[in-house]
Structures are given as C-alpha cells and as structure tokens.
Amino acid sequence: VQLQASGGGLVQAGGSLLLSCTASGTIFSINAMGWYRQAPGKQRELVATITSGGRTNYADSVKGRFTISRDSAKNTVYLQMNSLKPEDTAVYYCASSGSSYPTLIHEYNFWGQGTEVTVSS
C-alpha cells in the first residue's frame, strides 16, 4: 500500500484546510484509515479514524472542528479541518490499517509521507 497525502499549508487561526490521502497498491487489505499528527517535540497522536463501514473516531481536541470522510471510488480519505487553532500546527500523516477498528498506533501498518500544517495566531 502506498499513501500520498496532500493539502497542508499555512493558514490563520480560525481558518480551514482540507487534507487528502490517496491509497494505491494492495488496497483490498485496507479496513480503516486514519490521520495522525506530530508537533515538534511531541509524540505522534491520533486525530481521526474512519473504517470501511464509515464508523469514525476523533481525538477530543478536534471533535466538532475536524471531519474525516472517504471516497471509496477514488481510494481517498479526507480530513476537513475547520476553526483551526495554533495548537493544531503539526505534520499530519495518513495511515492505513488492516484492523476493522484500529485504536492503537501499532495497528496502522502503512504510512504516508506527511503534510505540514501551520496555523498562525
């Protein structure tokens, strides 16, 4: 599985960004997709997950502001980020999992290259 993420950039606080992640290769092995982020000096943390059945899960810090969705026909997962805050600044990674509902980072076995999001105050 290869994952290609895009859509990061510089935005002012309160603004929005749409991240995309397109999967290729052995995509039949994918049961769930997720977005993680890693800020400088911090551990990589889960942002959102979506299963093949459309079940979603969000970190408390982004609930109500971020929305994860998928377009199966395009093998693409999106992360719509609204009301961005400076603390959302990080490198965002998409990842795929063979687990039906992954909750731990080690359940994700393929990772994209990361796309940088910077939110200015």
Side-chain angles (χ1 to χ4, degrees):
V1 175
Q2 293 81 44
L3 303 173
Q4 181 68 44
S6 61
L10 173 63
V11 64
Q12 288 188 331
S16 299
L17 280 174
L18 175 66
L19 304 184
S20 301
C21 176
T22 299
S24 60
T26 54
I27 57 176
F28 62 86
S29 65
I30 299 174
N31 283 323
M33 296 284 291
W35 286 97
Y36 275 75
R37 67 186 180 187
Q38 187 166 19
K42 294 188 177 182
Q43 289 188 331
R44 193 170 297 190
E45 62 175 1
L46 176 69
V47 177
T49 299
I50 187 165
T51 69
S52 58
R55 183 180 180 184
T56 59
N57 180 48
Y58 296 92
D60 289 342
S61 59
V62 306
K63 283 181 181 176
R65 301 188 298 123
F66 291 10
T67 302
I68 189 171
S69 62
R70 65 191 298 163
D71 184 333
S72 297
K74 296 182 179 180
N75 298 322
T76 299
V77 172
Y78 304 97
L79 184 68
Q80 177 66 51
M81 305 186 295
N82 298 328
S83 302
L84 282 161
K85 304 175 181 180
E87 51 263 43
D88 294 318
T89 294
V91 178
Y92 284 69
Y93 299 89
C94 64
S96 67
S97 173
S99 299
S100 57
Y101 188 66
T103 58
L104 301 174
I105 191 169
H106 73 261
E107 295 183 86
Y108 289 88
N109 43 11
F110 294 99
W111 293 82
Q113 84 285 9
T115 184
E116 189 166 3
V117 172
T118 302
V119 184
S120 62
S121 58

